[in-house]
Amino acid sequence: MQSPHPSLPTTTAPKDIEWRLPRHARSVGRARELFREQAASWGLPQELTDTAELLLSELMTNAYRHAKVPAGREIWARCVVTDDRVRVTVTDASDTLPTPGTASVYAESGRGLALVAALADDWGAGRRGSGIGKELWFELTLGTA
């Protein structure tokens, strides 16, 4: 970006943001809303934004439903955009790693991680290197969503 005033430095918006939300059902929709707004401000392609929003929703839902932790613990969602990819990470305070299951045809849930695995270019889960809990993440390559 060229500064209109040559003596002033040029700044660009950071492409790394984190949201800390309560472990509550409403936080899933709030995370989607925050992500959509941020993706638009960064100018991310709509198809990539739609896919990332869907996968973020799945990881947030898992954290809300399955992270059985003391009251007051938060779910953290972080998005980092580099030159060639978008990485979204969801962290919760539970040390229990997810175990992908097979949902029956009539089940109303249980397909989230399968969806992440099918749509993401890469994904994973692990215990946090520092602190309590675990993190799940996915990556989408810019231009291929």
Side-chain angles (χ1 to χ4, degrees):
M1 175 190 311
Q2 184 70 19
S3 174
H5 304 284
S7 62
L8 297 176
T10 301
T11 59
T12 58
K15 291 192 176 182
D16 181 344
I17 193 163
E18 180 175 274
W19 303 284
R20 296 178 181 198
L21 302 165
R23 193 181 146 264
H24 192 277
R26 287 188 301 258
S27 292
V28 177
R30 182 69 178 138
R32 286 193 313 260
E33 178 184 357
L34 292 167
F35 176 79
R36 246 189 338 266
E37 290 171 1
Q38 190 63 53
S41 77
W42 285 339
L44 295 179
Q46 188 61 51
E47 188 174 349
L48 181 135
T49 298
D50 293 345
T51 301
E53 182 184 346
L54 171 65
L55 300 184
L56 169 61
S57 182
E58 294 298 331
L59 296 187
M60 288 292 296
T61 299
N62 283 350
Y64 157 66
R65 285 188 179 165
H66 302 295
K68 303 301 181 200
V69 296
R73 296 290 183 164
E74 295 174 318
I75 301 170
W76 297 1
R78 181 176 184 195
C79 179
V80 178
V81 178
T82 62
D83 290 337
D84 64 343
R85 65 189 51 243
V86 175
R87 181 180 179 115
V88 174
T89 305
V90 173
T91 305
D92 65 55
S94 172
D95 289 328
T96 304
L97 293 175
T99 53
T102 304
S104 74
V105 174
Y106 301 105
E108 293 182 10
S109 64
R111 295 178 185 83
L113 290 178
L115 195 58
V116 172
L119 297 178
D121 293 307
D122 197 9
W123 75 280
R127 289 189 172 75
R128 290 186 59 211
S130 60
I132 298 169
K134 68 176 173 301
E135 62 182 25
L136 280 80
W137 58 270
F138 66 85
E139 290 182 346
L140 297 171
T141 304
L142 287 168
T144 63

